[in-house]
mmCIF file of all heavy atoms in Angstrom:
data_model
loop_
_atom_site.group_PDB
_atom_site.id
_atom_site.type_symbol
_atom_site.label_atom_id
_atom_site.label_comp_id
_atom_site.label_asym_id
_atom_site.label_seq_id
_atom_site.Cartn_x
_atom_site.Cartn_y
_atom_site.Cartn_z
ATOM 1 N N VAL A 1 0.874 -1.185 0.000
ATOM 2 C CA VAL A 1 0.000 0.000 0.000
ATOM 3 C C VAL A 1 0.909 1.233 0.000
ATOM 4 O O VAL A 1 1.768 1.387 0.883
ATOM 5 C CB VAL A 1 -0.930 0.025 1.229
ATOM 6 C CG1 VAL A 1 -1.824 1.270 1.189
ATOM 7 C CG2 VAL A 1 -1.775 -1.244 1.297
ATOM 8 N N LEU A 2 0.725 2.075 -1.015
ATOM 9 C CA LEU A 2 1.555 3.279 -1.174
ATOM 10 C C LEU A 2 0.702 4.534 -1.121
ATOM 11 O O LEU A 2 -0.445 4.531 -1.581
ATOM 12 C CB LEU A 2 2.263 3.284 -2.534
ATOM 13 C CG LEU A 2 3.470 2.390 -2.801
ATOM 14 C CD1 LEU A 2 3.979 2.671 -4.213
ATOM 15 C CD2 LEU A 2 4.577 2.633 -1.797
ATOM 16 N N GLU A 3 1.282 5.582 -0.595
ATOM 17 C CA GLU A 3 0.720 6.919 -0.785
ATOM 18 C C GLU A 3 1.626 7.642 -1.772
ATOM 19 O O GLU A 3 2.845 7.692 -1.589
ATOM 20 C CB GLU A 3 0.675 7.696 0.532
ATOM 21 C CG GLU A 3 -0.465 7.285 1.441
ATOM 22 C CD GLU A 3 -0.468 8.076 2.745
ATOM 23 O OE1 GLU A 3 0.245 9.107 2.813
ATOM 24 O OE2 GLU A 3 -1.163 7.652 3.675
ATOM 25 N N VAL A 4 1.036 8.175 -2.833
ATOM 26 C CA VAL A 4 1.788 8.892 -3.862
ATOM 27 C C VAL A 4 1.423 10.365 -3.787
ATOM 28 O O VAL A 4 0.232 10.708 -3.782
ATOM 29 C CB VAL A 4 1.468 8.326 -5.274
ATOM 30 C CG1 VAL A 4 2.162 9.147 -6.348
ATOM 31 C CG2 VAL A 4 1.887 6.869 -5.366
ATOM 32 N N GLU A 5 2.427 11.241 -3.700
ATOM 33 C CA GLU A 5 2.135 12.679 -3.623
ATOM 34 C C GLU A 5 3.156 13.482 -4.422
ATOM 35 O O GLU A 5 4.289 13.047 -4.652
ATOM 36 C CB GLU A 5 2.096 13.145 -2.164
ATOM 37 C CG GLU A 5 3.381 12.932 -1.393
ATOM 38 C CD GLU A 5 3.244 13.288 0.080
ATOM 39 O OE1 GLU A 5 2.185 12.974 0.660
ATOM 40 O OE2 GLU A 5 4.208 13.854 0.637
ATOM 41 N N ALA A 6 2.711 14.675 -4.838
ATOM 42 C CA ALA A 6 3.557 15.545 -5.671
ATOM 43 C C ALA A 6 4.641 16.206 -4.842
ATOM 44 O O ALA A 6 4.456 16.506 -3.658
ATOM 45 C CB ALA A 6 2.687 16.611 -6.337
ATOM 46 N N LEU A 7 5.781 16.434 -5.490
ATOM 47 C CA LEU A 7 6.898 17.180 -4.891
ATOM 48 C C LEU A 7 7.186 18.416 -5.753
ATOM 49 O O LEU A 7 6.815 18.462 -6.935
ATOM 50 C CB LEU A 7 8.154 16.298 -4.848
ATOM 51 C CG LEU A 7 8.201 15.193 -3.780
ATOM 52 C CD1 LEU A 7 9.469 14.375 -3.969
ATOM 53 C CD2 LEU A 7 8.165 15.769 -2.383
ATOM 54 N N PRO A 8 7.864 19.415 -5.197
ATOM 55 C CA PRO A 8 8.224 20.591 -6.013
ATOM 56 C C PRO A 8 9.118 20.197 -7.198
ATOM 57 O O PRO A 8 9.840 19.201 -7.142
ATOM 58 C CB PRO A 8 8.995 21.489 -5.032
ATOM 59 C CG PRO A 8 8.594 21.022 -3.681
ATOM 60 C CD PRO A 8 8.281 19.573 -3.797
ATOM 61 N N SER A 9 9.059 21.001 -8.247
ATOM 62 C CA SER A 9 9.841 20.742 -9.457
ATOM 63 C C SER A 9 11.331 20.624 -9.140
ATOM 64 O O SER A 9 11.878 21.412 -8.383
ATOM 65 C CB SER A 9 9.620 21.880 -10.458
ATOM 66 O OG SER A 9 10.394 21.672 -11.599
ATOM 67 N N GLY A 10 11.957 19.604 -9.715
ATOM 68 C CA GLY A 10 13.395 19.402 -9.519
ATOM 69 C C GLY A 10 13.748 18.558 -8.316
ATOM 70 O O GLY A 10 14.919 18.361 -8.010
ATOM 71 N N SER A 11 12.744 18.028 -7.613
ATOM 72 C CA SER A 11 12.999 17.247 -6.383
ATOM 73 C C SER A 11 13.383 15.802 -6.663
ATOM 74 O O SER A 11 13.918 15.119 -5.790
ATOM 75 C CB SER A 11 11.765 17.259 -5.475
ATOM 76 O OG SER A 11 11.406 18.566 -5.133
ATOM 77 N N GLY A 12 13.064 15.308 -7.863
ATOM 78 C CA GLY A 12 13.354 13.910 -8.151
ATOM 79 C C GLY A 12 12.271 13.003 -7.576
ATOM 80 O O GLY A 12 11.123 13.407 -7.400
ATOM 81 N N VAL A 13 12.636 11.774 -7.277
ATOM 82 C CA VAL A 13 11.687 10.799 -6.710
ATOM 83 C C VAL A 13 12.185 10.357 -5.344
ATOM 84 O O VAL A 13 13.349 9.993 -5.191
ATOM 85 C CB VAL A 13 11.527 9.573 -7.645
ATOM 86 C CG1 VAL A 13 10.624 8.526 -7.004
ATOM 87 C CG2 VAL A 13 10.952 10.007 -8.984
ATOM 88 N N GLU A 14 11.304 10.436 -4.370
ATOM 89 C CA GLU A 14 11.666 10.035 -2.999
ATOM 90 C C GLU A 14 10.907 8.782 -2.602
ATOM 91 O O GLU A 14 9.729 8.620 -2.941
ATOM 92 C CB GLU A 14 11.302 11.147 -2.001
ATOM 93 C CG GLU A 14 12.216 12.354 -2.048
ATOM 94 C CD GLU A 14 11.816 13.391 -0.993
ATOM 95 O OE1 GLU A 14 11.050 13.019 -0.067
ATOM 96 O OE2 GLU A 14 12.243 14.546 -1.119
ATOM 97 N N PHE A 15 11.565 7.909 -1.849
ATOM 98 C CA PHE A 15 10.899 6.741 -1.260
ATOM 99 C C PHE A 15 10.976 6.875 0.260
ATOM 100 O O PHE A 15 12.048 7.128 0.818
ATOM 101 C CB PHE A 15 11.587 5.450 -1.706
ATOM 102 C CG PHE A 15 11.077 4.224 -0.995
ATOM 103 C CD1 PHE A 15 9.830 3.683 -1.290
ATOM 104 C CD2 PHE A 15 11.835 3.613 0.007
ATOM 105 C CE1 PHE A 15 9.358 2.560 -0.618
ATOM 106 C CE2 PHE A 15 11.377 2.491 0.682
ATOM 107 C CZ PHE A 15 10.124 1.964 0.359
ATOM 108 N N VAL A 16 9.809 6.758 0.914
ATOM 109 C CA VAL A 16 9.747 6.882 2.375
ATOM 110 C C VAL A 16 9.104 5.624 2.951
ATOM 111 O O VAL A 16 8.044 5.185 2.486
ATOM 112 C CB VAL A 16 8.934 8.137 2.795
ATOM 113 C CG1 VAL A 16 8.877 8.240 4.316
ATOM 114 C CG2 VAL A 16 9.539 9.398 2.186
ATOM 115 N N ASP A 17 9.752 5.058 3.936
ATOM 116 C CA ASP A 17 9.227 3.844 4.602
ATOM 117 C C ASP A 17 8.513 4.259 5.892
ATOM 118 O O ASP A 17 9.133 4.772 6.824
ATOM 119 C CB ASP A 17 10.396 2.901 4.897
ATOM 120 C CG ASP A 17 9.987 1.750 5.817
ATOM 121 O OD1 ASP A 17 8.783 1.451 5.895
ATOM 122 O OD2 ASP A 17 10.897 1.172 6.447
ATOM 123 N N LYS A 18 7.169 4.056 5.922
ATOM 124 C CA LYS A 18 6.403 4.368 7.139
ATOM 125 C C LYS A 18 5.631 3.140 7.632
ATOM 126 O O LYS A 18 4.571 3.257 8.241
ATOM 127 C CB LYS A 18 5.433 5.518 6.856
ATOM 128 C CG LYS A 18 6.116 6.897 6.797
ATOM 129 C CD LYS A 18 5.104 8.010 6.875
ATOM 130 C CE LYS A 18 5.797 9.372 6.906
ATOM 131 N NZ LYS A 18 4.797 10.467 6.884
ATOM 132 N N VAL A 19 6.167 1.988 7.313
ATOM 133 C CA VAL A 19 5.507 0.740 7.731
ATOM 134 C C VAL A 19 5.676 0.557 9.242
ATOM 135 O O VAL A 19 6.781 0.739 9.776
ATOM 136 C CB VAL A 19 6.107 -0.460 6.978
ATOM 137 C CG1 VAL A 19 5.587 -1.770 7.566
ATOM 138 C CG2 VAL A 19 5.773 -0.375 5.504
ATOM 139 N N VAL A 20 4.581 0.222 9.911
ATOM 140 C CA VAL A 20 4.648 -0.090 11.355
ATOM 141 C C VAL A 20 4.045 -1.475 11.595
ATOM 142 O O VAL A 20 3.189 -1.934 10.844
ATOM 143 C CB VAL A 20 3.898 0.973 12.199
ATOM 144 C CG1 VAL A 20 4.647 2.292 12.181
ATOM 145 C CG2 VAL A 20 2.471 1.164 11.722
ATOM 146 N N GLY A 21 4.502 -2.108 12.610
ATOM 147 C CA GLY A 21 3.919 -3.386 13.019
ATOM 148 C C GLY A 21 4.323 -4.566 12.173
ATOM 149 O O GLY A 21 3.737 -5.644 12.299
ATOM 150 N N GLY A 22 5.294 -4.388 11.272
ATOM 151 C CA GLY A 22 5.806 -5.523 10.498
ATOM 152 C C GLY A 22 4.886 -6.038 9.421
ATOM 153 O O GLY A 22 5.002 -7.194 9.006
ATOM 154 N N SER A 23 3.927 -5.202 8.963
ATOM 155 C CA SER A 23 3.011 -5.668 7.903
ATOM 156 C C SER A 23 3.791 -5.995 6.625
ATOM 157 O O SER A 23 3.378 -6.849 5.848
ATOM 158 C CB SER A 23 1.933 -4.624 7.625
ATOM 159 O OG SER A 23 2.525 -3.379 7.283
ATOM 160 N N VAL A 24 4.904 -5.267 6.401
ATOM 161 C CA VAL A 24 5.859 -5.656 5.348
ATOM 162 C C VAL A 24 7.190 -5.890 6.062
ATOM 163 O O VAL A 24 7.747 -4.967 6.660
ATOM 164 C CB VAL A 24 6.017 -4.553 4.278
ATOM 165 C CG1 VAL A 24 7.071 -4.974 3.260
ATOM 166 C CG2 VAL A 24 4.696 -4.250 3.581
ATOM 167 N N PRO A 25 7.693 -7.126 6.063
ATOM 168 C CA PRO A 25 8.943 -7.416 6.778
ATOM 169 C C PRO A 25 10.094 -6.535 6.304
ATOM 170 O O PRO A 25 10.162 -6.171 5.125
ATOM 171 C CB PRO A 25 9.197 -8.888 6.442
ATOM 172 C CG PRO A 25 7.854 -9.440 6.086
ATOM 173 C CD PRO A 25 7.099 -8.324 5.449
#
């Protein structure tokens, strides 16, 4: 399950891990 959101121009692509409780090991 992902949340996708816009970033300001020139920011590139960011990946953020906010998994809690080990739902994804």
